[in-house]
Amino acid sequence: MSRHLQITFDAHDPQALSIFWRNALGYVHPGPPGGELPADVDPLAAWDEFLARIGIPPQQRNTRSAIEDPAGIGPRLFFQLVPEDKVAKNRVHLDIRAAAGLQGAERMAALETECDRLVALGATRVQRYEPEPPLSAGWIVMTDPEGNEFCLD
């Protein structure tokens, strides 16, 4: 039996958080149901038009958002509006494998480069952990724009 994985984020601004993760991971926003989306059409604008056409009021259009791996390999990420704030450390988090196969200074330099790119997108750097061979190759802890922890690994 085949299983597909979707990871769901609670969010105050589902669309903004989905845009951050889309840019962080190289994912795409799928178009609305009912047909293929032309390559030159912004999927978020297409969704707004679709929701308006089916009578969803503007104040209810940012209650959910989703992104998908364009190669169809990675899990779908879903973002849903919730009223409450994040109050504790995540018990589950994502690791972005930004330096697979690299070791030592070369690995940490690659992680730093990716960290800088993600900070420019709205992430926050939390802490760098140095390599401690043989069990740890080093990593950087970060948070997304809504405070969800993730690691550059």
Coordinates of all heavy atoms in Angstrom, one line a residue, residues 31-79:
G31 N -2.2 25.1 -8.6 CA -3.3 25.9 -9.0 C -4.6 25.4 -8.4 O -4.7 24.3 -7.9
P32 N -5.7 26.2 -8.6 CA -7.0 25.7 -8.1 C -7.5 24.5 -8.9 O -7.0 24.3 -10.0 CB -7.8 27.0 -8.2 CG -7.1 27.9 -9.2 CD -5.7 27.5 -9.1
P33 N -8.5 23.9 -8.4 CA -9.1 22.7 -9.1 C -9.8 23.1 -10.4 O -10.2 24.3 -10.5 CB -10.1 22.1 -8.1 CG -10.4 23.2 -7.2 CD -9.2 24.1 -7.1
G34 N -9.8 22.2 -11.3 CA -10.6 22.4 -12.5 C -9.8 22.7 -13.8 O -10.3 23.2 -14.7
G35 N -8.5 22.4 -13.8 CA -7.8 22.5 -15.0 C -6.3 22.8 -14.8 O -5.9 23.1 -13.6
E36 N -5.6 22.8 -15.8 CA -4.2 23.1 -15.8 C -3.9 24.6 -15.7 O -4.6 25.4 -16.4 CB -3.5 22.6 -17.0 CG -3.3 21.0 -17.1 CD -2.4 20.5 -16.0 OE1 -1.3 21.1 -15.8 OE2 -2.8 19.6 -15.3
L37 N -3.0 25.0 -14.9 CA -2.6 26.4 -14.8 C -1.5 26.7 -15.8 O -0.5 26.1 -15.8 CB -2.1 26.7 -13.4 CG -2.0 28.1 -12.9 CD1 -3.3 28.8 -12.9 CD2 -1.4 28.1 -11.5
P38 N -1.7 27.7 -16.7 CA -0.6 28.1 -17.6 C 0.6 28.5 -16.9 O 0.5 29.1 -15.8 CB -1.2 29.2 -18.4 CG -2.7 29.1 -18.3 CD -2.9 28.5 -16.9
A39 N 1.8 28.3 -17.4 CA 3.1 28.6 -16.8 C 3.2 30.0 -16.4 O 3.9 30.4 -15.5 CB 4.2 28.1 -17.7
D40 N 2.6 30.9 -17.2 CA 2.8 32.4 -16.9 C 1.8 33.0 -16.0 O 1.8 34.2 -15.7 CB 2.7 33.1 -18.3 CG 1.4 33.0 -19.0 OD1 0.7 32.0 -18.7 OD2 1.1 33.9 -19.8
V41 N 0.9 32.1 -15.3 CA -0.1 32.6 -14.4 C 0.4 32.4 -13.0 O 0.8 31.3 -12.6 CB -1.4 31.9 -14.7 CG1 -2.5 32.2 -13.6 CG2 -1.9 32.2 -16.1
D42 N 0.2 33.4 -12.2 CA 0.6 33.3 -10.7 C -0.5 32.4 -10.0 O -1.7 32.8 -10.0 CB 0.6 34.7 -10.1 CG 0.8 34.7 -8.6 OD1 1.2 33.6 -8.0 OD2 0.6 35.8 -8.0
P43 N -0.1 31.3 -9.4 CA -1.1 30.4 -8.8 C -1.8 31.1 -7.7 O -3.0 30.8 -7.5 CB -0.3 29.2 -8.4 CG 1.2 29.5 -8.5 CD 1.3 30.7 -9.4
L44 N -1.2 32.0 -6.9 CA -1.9 32.6 -5.8 C -2.9 33.6 -6.4 O -4.0 33.7 -5.8 CB -0.9 33.4 -4.9 CG 0.1 32.5 -4.2 CD1 1.1 33.3 -3.4 CD2 -0.6 31.5 -3.3
A45 N -2.7 34.3 -7.5 CA -3.7 35.1 -8.1 C -4.8 34.3 -8.6 O -6.0 34.6 -8.5 CB -3.1 36.0 -9.2
A46 N -4.5 33.1 -9.2 CA -5.5 32.2 -9.7 C -6.4 31.7 -8.6 O -7.6 31.6 -8.8 CB -4.8 31.0 -10.5
W47 N -5.8 31.4 -7.4 CA -6.6 31.0 -6.3 C -7.5 32.1 -5.8 O -8.7 31.9 -5.5 CB -5.7 30.5 -5.1 CG -5.4 29.1 -5.2 CD1 -4.2 28.5 -5.5 CD2 -6.3 28.0 -4.8 NE1 -4.3 27.1 -5.4 CE2 -5.6 26.8 -5.0 CE3 -7.6 28.0 -4.4 CZ2 -6.1 25.6 -4.7 CZ3 -8.2 26.7 -4.1 CH2 -7.4 25.5 -4.3
D48 N -7.0 33.3 -5.8 CA -7.8 34.4 -5.4 C -9.0 34.6 -6.3 O -10.2 34.8 -5.9 CB -7.0 35.7 -5.3 CG -7.7 36.8 -4.4 OD1 -8.2 36.5 -3.3 OD2 -7.7 37.9 -4.9
E49 N -8.8 34.5 -7.6 CA -9.9 34.6 -8.6 C -10.9 33.5 -8.4 O -12.1 33.7 -8.5 CB -9.3 34.6 -10.0 CG -8.5 35.9 -10.3 CD -7.8 35.8 -11.7 OE1 -8.1 34.8 -12.5 OE2 -6.9 36.6 -11.9
F50 N -10.4 32.2 -8.2 CA -11.2 31.1 -8.0 C -12.1 31.2 -6.8 O -13.3 31.0 -6.8 CB -10.3 29.8 -7.9 CG -11.1 28.6 -7.5 CD1 -11.8 27.9 -8.4 CD2 -11.0 28.1 -6.2 CE1 -12.5 26.7 -8.1 CE2 -11.7 27.0 -5.8 CZ -12.5 26.3 -6.8
L51 N -11.5 31.7 -5.7 CA -12.2 31.8 -4.4 C -13.3 32.9 -4.6 O -14.4 32.8 -4.0 CB -11.3 32.1 -3.3 CG -10.4 30.9 -2.9 CD1 -9.3 31.4 -1.9 CD2 -11.1 29.7 -2.4
A52 N -13.0 34.0 -5.3 CA -14.0 35.1 -5.5 C -15.1 34.5 -6.4 O -16.3 34.8 -6.1 CB -13.3 36.3 -6.2
R53 N -14.8 33.7 -7.4 CA -15.8 33.2 -8.3 C -16.8 32.3 -7.6 O -18.0 32.2 -7.9 CB -15.1 32.5 -9.4 CG -16.0 32.1 -10.6 CD -15.3 31.6 -11.8 NE -14.4 30.5 -11.6 CZ -13.1 30.5 -11.6 NH1 -12.4 31.7 -11.9 NH2 -12.4 29.4 -11.4
I54 N -16.3 31.5 -6.6 CA -17.2 30.6 -5.8 C -17.8 31.3 -4.6 O -18.4 30.6 -3.8 CB -16.5 29.3 -5.5 CG1 -15.3 29.5 -4.5 CG2 -16.0 28.6 -6.8 CD1 -14.8 28.2 -4.0
G55 N -17.6 32.6 -4.4 CA -18.3 33.3 -3.4 C -17.6 33.4 -2.0 O -18.2 33.7 -1.0
I56 N -16.3 33.1 -1.9 CA -15.6 33.2 -0.7 C -15.3 34.6 -0.4 O -14.6 35.2 -1.2 CB -14.3 32.3 -0.7 CG1 -14.7 30.8 -1.0 CG2 -13.6 32.4 0.7 CD1 -15.6 30.1 0.0
P57 N -15.7 35.2 0.7 CA -15.4 36.6 1.0 C -13.9 36.8 1.2 O -13.2 35.9 1.6 CB -16.1 36.9 2.3 CG -17.1 35.7 2.5 CD -16.5 34.6 1.7
P58 N -13.4 38.0 0.8 CA -12.0 38.3 0.9 C -11.4 38.0 2.3 O -10.3 37.5 2.4 CB -11.9 39.8 0.6 CG -13.1 40.1 -0.2 CD -14.1 39.2 0.3
Q59 N -12.1 38.2 3.4 CA -11.5 38.0 4.7 C -11.4 36.5 5.0 O -10.8 36.2 6.0 CB -12.4 38.7 5.8 CG -13.8 38.2 6.0 CD -14.8 38.9 5.0 OE1 -14.4 39.5 4.0 NE2 -16.1 38.7 5.3
Q60 N -12.0 35.6 4.2 CA -11.8 34.2 4.5 C -10.9 33.5 3.5 O -10.8 32.3 3.5 CB -13.2 33.6 4.4 CG -14.1 34.0 5.5 CD -15.5 33.3 5.4 OE1 -15.8 32.5 4.5 NE2 -16.4 33.7 6.3
R61 N -10.2 34.3 2.6 CA -9.4 33.7 1.6 C -8.0 33.3 2.0 O -7.3 32.6 1.3 CB -9.3 34.6 0.4 CG -10.7 34.7 -0.3 CD -10.6 35.6 -1.5 NE -11.9 36.0 -1.9 CZ -12.2 37.0 -2.7 NH1 -11.3 37.7 -3.2 NH2 -13.5 37.3 -3.0
N62 N -7.6 33.7 3.2 CA -6.2 33.3 3.7 C -6.4 32.4 4.9 O -5.7 32.5 5.9 CB -5.4 34.6 4.0 CG -4.0 34.3 4.3 OD1 -3.5 33.2 3.9 ND2 -3.3 35.2 5.1
T63 N -7.3 31.4 4.8 CA -7.4 30.5 5.9 C -6.6 29.2 5.7 O -6.4 28.4 6.6 CB -8.9 30.1 6.0 OG1 -9.4 29.4 4.8 CG2 -9.8 31.3 6.4
R64 N -6.1 29.0 4.4 CA -5.3 27.9 4.1 C -4.5 28.1 2.9 O -4.8 28.9 2.0 CB -6.1 26.6 4.0 CG -7.2 26.7 3.0 CD -8.2 25.6 3.0 NE -8.9 25.4 4.3 CZ -10.1 25.9 4.6 NH1 -10.8 26.6 3.7 NH2 -10.6 25.8 5.8
S65 N -3.4 27.4 2.8 CA -2.5 27.4 1.6 C -1.7 26.1 1.6 O -1.6 25.4 2.6 CB -1.6 28.6 1.7 OG -0.8 28.8 0.5
A66 N -1.2 25.8 0.4 CA -0.4 24.6 0.3 C 0.7 24.8 -0.8 O 0.6 25.6 -1.7 CB -1.3 23.4 -0.1
I67 N 1.8 24.0 -0.6 CA 2.8 24.0 -1.6 C 3.2 22.5 -1.8 O 3.0 21.7 -1.0 CB 4.1 24.8 -1.1 CG1 4.6 24.3 0.2 CG2 3.7 26.3 -1.1 CD1 5.9 25.0 0.6
E68 N 3.8 22.3 -3.0 CA 4.1 20.9 -3.4 C 5.5 20.9 -4.0 O 5.9 21.9 -4.6 CB 3.1 20.4 -4.4 CG 1.7 20.3 -3.8 CD 0.7 19.9 -4.9 OE1 1.0 20.0 -6.1 OE2 -0.4 19.6 -4.4
D69 N 6.2 19.8 -3.9 CA 7.5 19.6 -4.6 C 7.2 19.4 -6.1 O 6.4 18.6 -6.5 CB 8.1 18.3 -4.0 CG 9.4 18.0 -4.7 OD1 9.8 18.6 -5.6 OD2 10.1 17.0 -4.2
P70 N 7.8 20.3 -6.9 CA 7.5 20.2 -8.4 C 7.9 18.8 -9.0 O 7.4 18.4 -10.0 CB 8.2 21.3 -9.0 CG 9.3 21.7 -8.0 CD 8.7 21.3 -6.6
A71 N 8.9 18.2 -8.3 CA 9.3 16.8 -8.8 C 8.4 15.7 -8.3 O 8.5 14.6 -8.7 CB 10.7 16.6 -8.4
G72 N 7.5 16.1 -7.4 CA 6.6 15.0 -6.8 C 7.2 14.1 -5.8 O 6.7 13.0 -5.5
I73 N 8.4 14.4 -5.3 CA 9.1 13.5 -4.4 C 8.9 13.9 -3.0 O 8.6 13.0 -2.1 CB 10.7 13.5 -4.8 CG1 10.9 13.0 -6.2 CG2 11.4 12.7 -3.7 CD1 12.3 13.2 -6.7
G74 N 9.1 15.2 -2.6 CA 8.9 15.6 -1.2 C 7.5 15.7 -0.8 O 6.6 15.7 -1.6
P75 N 7.2 15.8 0.5 CA 5.9 15.8 1.0 C 5.2 17.2 0.7 O 5.9 18.2 0.5 CB 6.0 15.7 2.5 CG 7.4 16.2 2.8 CD 8.2 15.9 1.6
R76 N 3.9 17.1 0.6 CA 3.1 18.4 0.4 C 3.1 19.1 1.8 O 3.1 18.4 2.8 CB 1.7 18.0 0.0 CG 0.7 19.1 -0.2 CD -0.6 18.5 -0.7 NE -1.5 19.5 -1.2 CZ -2.5 20.1 -0.5 NH1 -2.7 19.7 0.7 NH2 -3.3 21.0 -1.1
L77 N 3.2 20.4 1.8 CA 3.1 21.2 3.0 C 1.8 22.0 3.0 O 1.5 22.6 2.0 CB 4.3 22.1 3.1 CG 5.7 21.5 3.1 CD1 6.7 22.6 3.4 CD2 5.8 20.4 4.2
F78 N 1.0 21.9 4.0 CA -0.3 22.5 4.1 C -0.2 23.5 5.3 O 0.3 23.2 6.4 CB -1.4 21.5 4.4 CG -2.7 22.0 4.4 CD1 -3.4 22.4 3.3 CD2 -3.4 22.2 5.6 CE1 -4.7 23.0 3.3 CE2 -4.7 22.7 5.7 CZ -5.3 23.1 4.5
F79 N -0.8 24.7 5.1 CA -0.8 25.8 6.1 C -2.2 26.1 6.4 O -3.0 26.5 5.5 CB 0.0 27.0 5.6 CG 1.4 26.6 5.1 CD1 1.6 26.1 3.9 CD2 2.5 26.7 6.0 CE1 2.9 25.7 3.4 CE2 3.8 26.3 5.6 CZ 4.0 25.8 4.3

